[in-house]
Amino acid sequence: MKVIEILSLICFLTFGISAQQTATVSGQLTDEGRTIANQPIRLVSTTETFETTTDASGNYQFANVADGNYLLVYNNKQASVKVTGGQVSIAELADVVVISASTTQTLNEVSKTVNIIDAQELRDRADFSLVESLRSIPGFRIQQLGGFGRTANIKTRGLRNQDTAILIDGVRFRDAAAITGDATPFLSDFTLTSVSKIEVLRGSGSSLYGTNAVGGTIDFQTPKPQTGFHGNLSGAGGGYGLGRFRGNVSNGKADGKFGFNFGASRTVYTEGIDGEDDANNTNLQSRIEFNPFEKTNISARFFVSDAYVRLNSNPNSIAAALNSPATTIIDAVPLSGEELRRFENGTLVANLNRGNANFIPDANDPDNSQKSKFFNGQIVLTHAFNDRFVFQGYYSGLRTQRKNDNGVLGIGFQSASTSFFDGTIQTANGHFNWTPNRFNEITAGYEYEHEKYGNDGFTPSGTGDFFSRAKQSSNTIYAQDLIKLLDNHLQIAGGFRVQFFDLKTPKFSITNAPYTNLTLENPPNAYTFDAAVSYFFEQTGTKIRAHVGNGYRVPSLFERFGTFFSSFGIPRFVALGAPDLQPEKTIAFDGGIEQNLFGSRAKLTAVYFYTRLIDTIGFGTLPQPDPFGRSNSASGGGYLNTKGGIARGGEFSGQLRATDSTDVFASYTFTNSDQRVPQVPAARIIETLGIPKHQFTLVATQRFRRVWVNFDFLAASSYLAPIGFPTRVFRFDGNRRADLTGGYNIPLKGERFNMRVFGTIENLFGDDYYENGFRTFGRNGRIGLSFVF
């Protein structure tokens, strides 16, 4: 009898399960009015993934879909899908971003100012470095001091180089051995080897991403593996001795359990701007996705870079410029190319035909070079307990290394030396995403970070050899709540972050070094908050939004314990840093309006931004006596907390899909940025150096069946920059750069394979432009071929 009852129960349960209603999710995939044909799409939930391909008319179908909430995913866009009682509702396809809230949101849900550069745009423009791809972003000022591989920096909304954070797949990337502890020394080493898209947050992001996310945040996102075997091989060559190779392969199992991709690139310039500015870069990237259980994902990623670049001397002023008062702004006139070559060959400045020239651009230095490497490895665990509660944890290990070699050759006094800079950052992070109801999505987490700094110096005689070591760690707690009200038309986001620091005693290569006899106290904690709100008027297609937050930057280990080693007289370390430095503090606000027109084929955006640097870290004259024994006479000053400045302005942009084959994006940025303390004290100028007040960008793409043409233009007003020693402030003409790219797609074997021929004319108008006195590429071209399978 017991057996019969048990069998009856099993039959009842089996019938109940089989009787659960399922539905067929089907439709036609369109994107901004275009039918998307013959493209892979996915239907995903926290527990299931369905995959299919649209037909020639863009139609798709997923059968036997159980009740629940899903996402229809195509490239970097998604639409929410709800299945209830066999009934299906599908929202409109929209772009997806992560950077605005550190969790997935459609652009309609975003209450902050964001931009997306997707893989298609990167292909259309044929860019191959991160900094090149960011030129068109409103509010971004991109500088590269010379050709490929030279120092690059990003100034966001009139702020400093160190006020923009860089992420790789949502995880901070920065150099612990950099003077300001940011990513600047390695920006030029980010080539586009394997990237699915680049997301940009304009405005404060410290409550989400921590240190340096003051003016903006950039997330370099790697692609997930696709089902089946895919890949591409490409090569390009061009002016200045350019040669570039890139290859990618990807493979994923049909059941979604395992997949990987791998990418490699090699970029070489054998000549560079002056014929001896050779540079090369090798990037390796990989990503592995493993789903051991239905609700568990393990992802491993690594990114390796190995780069070399020849460096020139810094620009310098000509004596005539020094005759003017230090408060005079000098209109920059460079020494001519022929006279510069004579100068590089040893001709004295007094014997040159200088004409009206008042500065010498970066002159060739035949034995000055830099080698740089980094390794970034991440492992990420994600587990969905259910549709409402998800845990994610990750570990990231980052090693950065730079080696600078300089010999006795070159302009002016030169001494032979070799310097090593070594940084290590280890980060462990765990957080929960909880959706208690349809109105709230709550994130709370903890993060531990440990960083180390090392600097070694060597000279041929050995008398100037030294080393220094420093380290610090921090513990962080953070939380965020995303609130959706009024049928998701009203979006509210709020968050906070608290970081606690722990300093360790530094080590130096000689006795009686600075800081060794001090009792170190842990520096002040960093507190940040963030709030944003937006409302979408569906009837008119209008969104208004506002975002306010304070930001911070952790003092770098160099700013805390920085020294330089003097081998003159008695060898000794001269202290520059201050262990008790407080974190930099900022407050930022931006508010804007978006207007969609013509059925979302056009969008106009206007944003006002304001950022105040409340407390910053600067280098200047020290009050005496100094608690750390620093001397103004020995070092010219040291690092100390000081007051910053104010940057405000407006960003205006418009994008238009005029036809299904025509895309246009244009932007104008006005920036008014001032410092409370002049950056060049003798000049008494409070205008922030390096920032043009006006900047215009235009990106236009036209497709003709298998042919495409892309025009990318940037124009900026003049800006101020410091040159020489003693330092004078020069006014340089703004950039006028245009790039023209075109290509032709050749399908092979019924479009299963594809070959693409492409070419670019860079600096189309031949603008003779100097970046802070450094020469830049003139008009040049490149041509390439890629094979996709």
Side-chain angles (χ1 to χ4, degrees):
M1 193 67 182
K2 289 275 188 185
V3 174
I4 294 175
E5 290 177 357
I6 292 172
L7 289 175
S8 299
L9 178 60
I10 292 174
C11 290
F12 175 77
L13 292 174
T14 303
F15 176 80
I17 292 171
S18 63
Q20 284 182 359
Q21 283 189 301
T22 62
T24 297
V25 177
S26 61
Q28 185 183 51
L29 186 66
T30 60
D31 182 14
E32 296 180 353
R34 293 183 303 161
T35 298
I36 308 300
N38 304 312
Q39 293 295 318
I41 61 172
R42 294 179 296 141
L43 186 69
V44 300
S45 71
T46 56
T47 59
E48 290 183 284
T49 298
F50 302 86
E51 295 189 359
T52 190
T53 301
T54 59
D55 63 19
S57 300
N59 296 313
Y60 62 87
Q61 180 174 296
F62 300 98
N64 300 318
V65 179
D67 285 1
N69 295 315
Y70 298 83
L71 292 175
L72 184 68
V73 181
Y74 160 67
N75 282 348
N76 294 314
K77 298 190 175 186
Q78 71 180 32
S80 60
V81 177
K82 189 171 184 177
V83 181
T84 306
Q87 300 298 311
V88 179
S89 63
I90 306 174
E92 185 178 348
L93 196 69
D95 284 300
V96 175
V97 295
V98 176
I99 197 167
S100 55
S102 195
T103 189
T104 302
Q105 291 183 298
T106 65
L107 281 183
N108 293 335
E109 298 172 326
V110 172
S111 52
K112 301 174 185 177
T113 310
V114 299
N115 292 89
I116 302 172
I117 306 173
D118 61 23
Q120 182 63 53
E121 182 177 346
L122 294 172
R123 285 192 295 269
D124 289 343
R125 292 164 56 177
D127 290 333
F128 57 79
S129 73
L130 173 65
V131 289
E132 281 185 336
S133 66
L134 297 171
R135 289 195 312 266
S136 61
I137 301 296
F140 270 46
R141 157 77 160 135
I142 308 299
Q143 291 185 296
Q144 183 136 23
L145 305 183
F148 177 80
R150 297 284 186 84
T151 298
N153 57 63
I154 302 168
K155 293 180 170 67
T156 306
R157 290 182 165 177
L159 301 177
R160 306 158 303 170
N161 304 339
Q162 60 265 37
D163 294 330
T164 303
I166 304 295
L167 315 176
I168 299 178
D169 289 325
V171 179
R172 275 190 312 277
F173 177 99
R174 61 187 185 90
D175 180 14
I179 290 177
T180 51
D182 63 321
T184 296
F186 288 91
L187 286 178
S188 58
D189 295 343
F190 275 78
T191 59
L192 304 180
T193 302
S194 182
V195 57
S196 60
K197 62 176 176 176
I198 300 168
E199 294 185 357
V200 177
L201 170 66
R202 289 141 55 200
S204 178
S206 286
S207 67
L208 291 173
Y209 303 111
T211 183
N212 299 99
V214 171
T217 307
I218 300 161
D219 191 6
F220 185 97
Q221 297 185 8
T222 60
K224 291 184 177 180
Q226 302 178 40
T227 300
F229 185 72
H230 306 272
N232 71 74
L233 297 171
S234 67
Y240 297 105
L242 168 66
R244 175 168 165 82
F245 164 82
R246 182 172 71 95
N248 296 84
V249 293
S250 175
N251 195 5
K253 297 184 67 176
D255 61 7
K257 289 285 187 181
F258 180 81
F260 77 91
N261 60 42
F262 176 80
S265 69
R266 171 78 171 170
T267 307
V268 177
Y269 278 88
T270 59
E271 299 173 6
I273 293 173
D274 63 17
E276 296 185 26
D277 290 346
D278 50 305
N280 60 70
N281 176 291
T282 301
N283 275 189
L284 301 175
Q285 288 180 244
S286 184
R287 179 167 180 157
I288 299 171
E289 297 288 332
F290 177 47
N291 298 299
F293 310 107
E294 187 178 51
K295 299 183 179 181
T296 304
N297 170 262
I298 300 173
S299 178
R301 309 126 190 209
F302 73 78
F303 191 163
V304 180
S305 175
D306 187 352
Y308 169 86
V309 61
R310 287 271 296 272
L311 302 175
N312 285 354
S313 61
N314 289 326
N316 207 347
S317 54
I318 293 177
L322 300 179
N323 294 331
S324 59
T327 55
T328 301
I329 297 176
I330 304 167
D331 291 328
V333 180
L335 193 67
S336 69
E338 181 179 347
E339 294 304 298
L340 178 61
R341 285 187 287 274
R342 290 181 61 202
F343 176 68
E344 291 172 337
N345 291 327
T347 303
L348 297 176
V349 174
N351 297 328
L352 296 174
N353 181 17
R354 292 171 290 172
N356 295 323
N358 50 33
F359 83 94
I360 302 170
D362 55 314
N364 186 42
D365 191 339
D367 57 359
N368 190 3
S369 65
Q370 176 177 281
K371 293 182 179 180
S372 56
K373 300 179 181 180
F374 72 75
F375 172 85
N376 178 232
Q378 303 174 17
I379 185 164
V380 183
L381 170 67
T382 304
H383 180 75
F385 292 92
N386 52 51
D387 284 348
R388 295 180 178 273
F389 196 71
V390 178
F391 169 79
Q392 185 176 84
Y394 69 78
Y395 166 79
S396 170
L398 173 62
R399 175 83 180 271
T400 54
Q401 295 175 294
R402 288 177 284 128
K403 177 186 177 184
N404 289 79
D405 271 314
N406 194 18
V408 297
L409 303 178
I411 303 303
F413 173 75
Q414 302 270 348
S415 60
S417 64
T418 300
S419 297
F420 291 88
F421 299 90
D422 195 336
T424 302
I425 299 178
Q426 299 184 75
T427 307
N429 182 297
H431 64 267
F432 292 94
N433 288 336
W434 179 39
T435 309
N437 50 56
R438 63 190 180 92
F439 303 111
N440 297 80
E441 182 177 345
I442 298 170
T443 300
Y446 165 80
E447 181 177 279
Y448 172 79
E449 184 174 80
H450 179 75
E451 62 180 296
K452 294 192 297 185
Y453 159 86
N455 179 208
D456 295 76
F458 301 93
T459 58
S461 66
T463 57
D465 294 357
F466 70 91
F467 74 78
S468 59
R469 304 284 187 269
K471 55 187 177 181
Q472 68 178 345
S473 60
S474 66
N475 294 273
T476 302
I477 57 173
Y478 60 94
Q480 174 185 254
D481 188 12
L482 302 177
I483 304 171
K484 305 174 185 180
L485 301 172
L486 303 179
D487 198 22
N488 289 351
H489 289 83
L490 177 63
Q491 304 281 336
I492 302 172
F496 73 89
R497 187 182 187 97
V498 184
Q499 188 167 4
F500 311 90
F501 302 97
D502 181 20
L503 288 183
K504 305 299 181 183
T505 302
K507 297 179 181 179
F508 299 91
S509 54
I510 61 174
T511 58
N512 300 318
Y515 313 116
T516 52
N517 296 320
L518 293 175
T519 301
L520 296 178
E521 296 183 2
N522 290 330
N525 304 327
Y527 300 91
T528 54
F529 75 92
D530 192 272
V533 60
S534 68
Y535 188 83
F536 180 64
F537 298 88
E538 187 172 10
Q539 194 168 22
T540 61
T542 307
K543 178 193 277 189
I544 55 174
R545 63 169 180 261
H547 176 207
V548 63
N550 64 335
Y552 74 100
R553 184 178 72 85
V554 175
S556 72
L557 287 169
F558 186 85
E559 289 168 326
R560 292 201 191 279
F561 299 115
T563 61
F564 72 88
F565 186 79
S566 173
S567 58
F568 296 98
I570 300 175
R572 66 191 181 102
F573 283 95
V574 178
L576 301 174
D580 64 348
L581 284 174
Q582 296 188 27
E584 294 190 330
K585 301 173 186 177
T586 67
I587 184 72
F589 166 80
D590 63 71
I593 183 170
E594 291 181 7
Q595 180 63 58
N596 292 287
L597 301 168
F598 312 121
S600 296
R601 296 184 73 93
K603 182 167 72 172
L604 301 177
T605 304
V607 179
Y608 171 79
F609 64 86
Y610 174 95
T611 305
R612 180 184 174 195
L613 303 177
I614 302 170
D615 294 311
T616 62
I617 298 169
F619 188 92
T621 302
L622 301 167
Q624 296 295 315
D626 180 72
F628 309 113
R630 297 175 296 173
S631 168
N632 291 314
S633 60
S635 61
Y639 290 99
L640 70 166
N641 283 112
T642 184
K643 298 301 179 183
I646 297 174
R648 59 279 196 201
E651 299 160 342
F652 307 90
S653 64
Q655 59 188 71
L656 170 68
R657 171 150 291 184
T659 68
D660 289 347
S661 58
T662 306
D663 292 291
V664 180
F665 174 83
S667 75
Y668 166 74
T669 303
F670 171 75
T671 306
N672 185 7
S673 180
D674 297 315
Q675 300 292 314
R676 294 187 183 182
V677 179
Q679 292 169 286
V680 179
R684 302 177 189 172
I685 296 168
I686 63 170
E687 181 178 336
T688 302
L689 304 180
I691 304 296
K693 286 188 177 296
H694 308 277
Q695 182 168 291
F696 171 79
T697 68
L698 172 68
V699 181
T701 304
Q702 177 65 56
R703 299 175 182 85
F704 308 91
R705 294 177 62 85
R706 302 194 181 281
V707 177
W708 89 91
V709 178
N710 176 272
F711 180 71
D712 182 358
F713 178 66
L714 178 144
S717 61
S718 62
Y719 67 96
L720 305 181
I723 297 291
F725 185 81
T727 305
R728 291 290 186 269
V729 175
F730 285 71
R731 185 184 302 279
F732 286 88
D733 290 335
N735 201 353
R736 302 286 191 279
R737 172 169 168 168
D739 294 347
L740 183 66
T741 299
Y744 183 74
N745 289 305
I746 305 170
L748 304 171
K749 291 192 176 183
E751 306 212 16
R752 182 181 176 188
F753 302 98
N754 184 276
M755 187 165 66
R756 185 165 60 103
V757 181
F758 58 93
T760 298
I761 301 175
E762 191 176 290
N763 195 3
L764 179 65
F765 303 141
D767 184 37
D768 189 19
Y769 177 65
Y770 292 84
E771 192 69 82
N772 284 21
F774 288 82
R775 293 167 290 171
T776 60
F777 282 149
R779 184 187 295 112
N780 69 97
R782 59 180 182 265
I783 188 169
L785 179 70
S786 70
F787 178 68
V788 181
F789 56 92

